[in-house]
Amino acid sequence: MTQRISIQEIPAALMTSLGKIGAYLKTCNIDQKLLSLLYYRASQINGCACCLDIHHKESIHYGDTQVRLHGVIAWRESPYYDAKERAALAFTEALTNANQQDIDDTIFDDLTAHFTTEEITELTMAIATVNTWNRLNKTFRTTPGHYKVGQYA
């Protein structure tokens, strides 16, 4: 697989805009370990090898375990996730698959049991952003395996 476009070739204004969203999400009220797990799950759904590499390393950095990361593809059948994580994972899947799946009242009501309105908007932006990165990296064929935790900080 040959990389088509490097991150350095993306117009600086676009990278700055995405960077500002990323910087906000690093300081939001949602636990970074949870966000990283959600990024990992969205990247699995989208088949983005580069983002899987990044978010696997980030998840481990934030204290997640190999067992939970390997099991997240089958989170509904796995005992490793609490109710809050399950609500966020269901929402992540629904939003990532919004062209095929509605974000129905059950999914949203589960979110409101665990997250504030502000946190739900942050979750929505976080999931939308990782989906954007998945699409950029898949289109550009960004080569996975070189990410070092914190290199984009």
Side-chain angles (χ1 to χ4, degrees):
M1 184 170 82
T2 303
Q3 185 165 316
R4 294 173 175 154
I5 298 173
S6 73
I7 295 295
Q8 293 75 22
E9 294 176 274
I10 298 173
L14 289 176
M15 290 301 290
T16 298
S17 297
L18 284 170
K20 285 181 181 179
I21 294 169
Y24 174 86
L25 293 170
K26 288 278 188 191
T27 64
C28 74
N29 295 320
I30 301 168
D31 181 58
Q32 293 300 303
K33 179 180 166 185
L34 175 58
L35 281 179
S36 195
L37 181 68
L38 302 179
Y39 297 155
Y40 189 77
R41 181 65 189 119
S43 297
Q44 282 180 326
I45 293 166
N46 290 321
C48 181
C50 182
C51 291
L52 284 168
D53 174 53
I54 290 168
H55 298 300
H56 183 272
K57 291 171 182 172
E58 291 277 333
S59 291
I60 296 299
H61 172 77
Y62 289 122
D64 222 325
T65 65
Q66 298 288 354
V67 170
R68 282 171 42 93
L69 293 173
H70 290 304
V72 75
I73 197 166
W75 63 268
R76 287 176 179 84
E77 295 81 32
S78 299
Y80 315 127
Y81 314 97
D82 64 26
K84 182 176 184 174
E85 291 168 325
R86 290 175 182 281
L89 284 163
F91 181 58
T92 298
E93 289 182 358
L95 188 54
T96 299
N97 293 312
N99 64 322
Q100 302 169 13
Q101 179 181 352
D102 186 32
I103 300 161
D104 63 31
D105 290 339
T106 302
I107 291 171
F108 195 82
D109 291 346
D110 284 347
L111 280 179
T112 62
H114 301 284
F115 297 96
T116 65
T117 299
E118 181 176 338
E119 290 170 332
I120 292 170
T121 61
E122 291 168 342
L123 280 172
T124 304
M125 184 55 71
I127 296 161
T129 301
V130 76
N131 276 280
T132 297
W133 279 112
N134 290 163
R135 282 149 179 79
L136 288 171
N137 286 313
K138 285 186 65 123
T139 299
F140 302 159
R141 291 190 177 163
T142 307
T143 306
H146 305 289
Y147 178 73
K148 305 271 188 270
V149 173
Q151 81 179 57
Y152 299 125

